[in-house]
Amino acid sequence: MSTLIAIRDAALTAGGEYSPAKEKAANRGIYNGRSPLLHRRVKQLLGGLKFKLLFCLSLLCLVVWFSSKIGPFMGWDPDLSSSISVPNRGSYTVLINTWKRNSLLKQSVAHYASCSGTDAIHVIWSESDPPSDQLRAHLKNIVLKKSQTVHKPNFRFDLNEEDNLNNRFKPISGLRTDAIFSVDDDVIVPCRTLDFSFTVWQSAPHTMVGFVPRMHWLDEEKNGMAHYKYGGWWSVWWMGTYSMVLTKAAFFHQKYLDLYTNKMPSSIHDYVMRERNCEDIAMSLLVANATDTPPIWVKGKIYEIGSSGISSLNGHSDRRNKCLNDFVSLYGTMPLVSTNVKAVEAGNEWFW
């Protein structure tokens, strides 16, 4: 304050009039042209930025730690290394079961070759005559033309000497994927829907994930023996529950090919071969018995391009009931687990 008074007095003594502008100019000279208020504001701003940066980093570390703790607790494990062991984790092998329907086979191979997730296509061939050279060349050419990726899917026929429905679940050497998509030659699943179902399977790679749900229920119990009913689509729709997905359009882990062929009771193999039916029920029981978990039904449109199959024949439901109960008696228990969970692609739904 004494300095300011001295400046003002000096100005008056020099014969000039006092003005605030002269005083302000004199003050700038005293503080070397820098304002202490500006210093304070710069320091406050830098201090605030440092605080915000440290706060954000701390919050990020907390989120990462919390995610690592809560994820496994909720049943979701982002590390699938224990369950997906082969290089092509982002791909699947399409296993097409066919029988004397070459025109349908050509359409099916062409379609699945165009799906970006397809790593390989294997055709299960159980006819007495091997595929002709013309058919082989045609299908290989289709795969090369239809594939949308730089990596072209491997294609091959898996030949069998006898007509046996168990052939569709034989182990395959040289597979590069853990994921198997089992499909009949007359079933077309759009690529986008197929890729979505594959992501569902990746979240639960030890169970079956498919598009055709079926169910069972306890019908009656006599003399200590339980008798079960096999329910088709309308039973699933009415009851709102299911316990199987059919292998006419389903994902499962390749390890079940070995379990089906080499570990499942041979009496079930004989039954399937003799009855020419129910290999899909046998696979559902096998997976449920191994995991004690239900399958996952994926809601999505699929297209059946062939004529009616054995499911349209008279007595089909009775034969399926008999298969189910005979297999349960061979297992000694009912391994199927019911559920009402359904996987839906949210982008295709009106309401989330």
Side-chain angles (χ1 to χ4, degrees):
M1 186 69 182
S2 58
T3 304
L4 296 178
I5 293 172
I7 294 172
R8 181 182 302 177
D9 292 344
L12 292 173
T13 304
E17 294 183 357
Y18 169 77
S19 73
K22 292 181 179 180
E23 182 178 335
K24 189 173 183 181
N27 286 338
R28 281 201 296 266
I30 294 174
Y31 291 106
N32 298 322
R34 296 181 180 269
S35 169
L37 179 60
L38 180 60
H39 274 283
R40 288 196 299 272
R41 288 182 176 176
V42 170
K43 289 181 179 179
Q44 289 175 355
L45 180 61
L46 292 176
L49 288 175
K50 289 180 180 178
F51 173 77
K52 291 178 180 178
L53 181 60
L54 289 174
F55 176 77
C56 291
L57 289 174
S58 301
L59 183 62
L60 179 61
C61 293
L62 181 63
V63 169
V64 172
W65 176 85
F66 184 73
S67 298
S68 66
K69 298 297 182 182
I70 196 67
F73 174 76
M74 294 298 291
W76 175 75
D77 185 1
D79 182 10
L80 297 178
S81 58
S82 60
S83 57
I84 308 269
S85 58
V86 294
N88 287 351
R89 298 183 180 183
S91 304
Y92 43 82
T93 297
V94 179
L95 210 58
I96 303 175
N97 191 60
T98 189
W99 174 255
K100 294 186 176 182
R101 299 193 291 191
N102 290 351
S103 61
L104 297 181
L105 178 61
K106 292 175 183 178
Q107 295 180 61
S108 184
V109 169
H111 170 70
Y112 291 111
S114 70
C115 297
S116 60
T118 301
D119 178 76
I121 299 175
H122 288 248
V123 175
I124 309 303
W125 188 272
S126 299
E127 299 178 24
S128 56
D129 296 325
S132 66
D133 292 339
Q134 182 181 6
L135 179 62
R136 289 174 184 266
H138 179 78
L139 292 179
K140 288 183 178 180
N141 188 47
I142 283 179
V143 171
L144 293 176
K145 283 186 175 181
K146 294 294 184 179
S147 176
Q148 304 293 320
T149 60
V150 175
H151 164 73
K152 303 302 180 183
N154 289 336
F155 175 81
R156 85 177 197 196
F157 282 92
D158 293 334
L159 305 181
N160 298 279
E161 296 179 354
E162 59 182 355
D163 176 21
N164 185 343
L165 284 174
N166 292 306
N167 291 338
R168 73 183 304 169
F169 300 135
K170 283 186 175 180
I172 300 174
S173 61
L175 285 179
R176 300 187 300 185
T177 71
D178 278 339
I180 298 291
F181 181 64
S182 173
V183 65
D184 286 352
D185 58 5
D186 63 343
V187 176
I188 298 295
V189 180
C191 293
R192 176 173 173 173
T193 303
L194 183 61
D195 289 341
F196 171 69
S197 64
F198 175 56
T199 63
V200 175
W201 177 85
Q202 286 179 304
S203 70
H206 299 298
T207 192
M208 294 180 67
V209 175
F211 297 93
V212 187
R214 295 293 183 262
M215 68 172 296
H216 79 284
W217 67 89
L218 181 63
D219 184 39
E220 59 181 350
E221 190 168 351
K222 294 181 179 179
N223 302 322
M225 296 293 293
H227 186 269
Y228 297 93
K229 283 280 191 179
Y230 172 89
W233 161 245
W234 290 112
S235 297
V236 173
W237 179 83
W238 181 257
M239 301 296 292
T241 185
Y242 65 97
S243 56
M244 295 171 271
V245 290
L246 300 187
T247 53
K248 68 186 296 181
F251 277 100
F252 54 80
H253 197 286
Q254 66 151 305
K255 67 182 179 181
Y256 293 120
L257 298 177
D258 178 68
L259 289 178
Y260 184 99
T261 302
N262 299 317
K263 304 297 182 182
M264 194 172 68
S266 59
S267 53
I268 297 180
H269 294 150
D270 296 338
Y271 189 103
V272 169
M273 184 175 180
R274 182 176 66 253
E275 299 295 328
R276 298 181 58 81
N277 202 338
C278 302
E279 83 288 354
D280 47 2
I281 295 179
M283 178 59 88
S284 290
L285 288 166
L286 172 75
V287 176
N289 188 63
T291 62
D292 195 30
T293 58
I296 301 176
W297 168 30
V298 176
K299 181 183 177 182
K301 282 189 176 182
I302 65 174
Y303 302 92
E304 298 193 41
I305 58 177
S307 58
S308 301
I310 62 174
S311 60
S312 63
L313 300 177
N314 291 331
H316 176 71
S317 180
D318 292 336
R319 285 192 290 272
R320 302 287 274 186
N321 285 331
K322 187 175 186 304
C323 281
L324 178 62
N325 284 281
D326 289 343
F327 290 165
V328 169
S329 66
L330 292 173
Y331 271 99
T333 184
M334 166 53 81
L336 294 176
V337 180
S338 296
T339 182
N340 56 9
V341 173
K342 177 170 58 177
V344 179
E345 188 175 6
N348 295 335
E349 297 298 309
W350 282 98
F351 301 101
W352 171 237

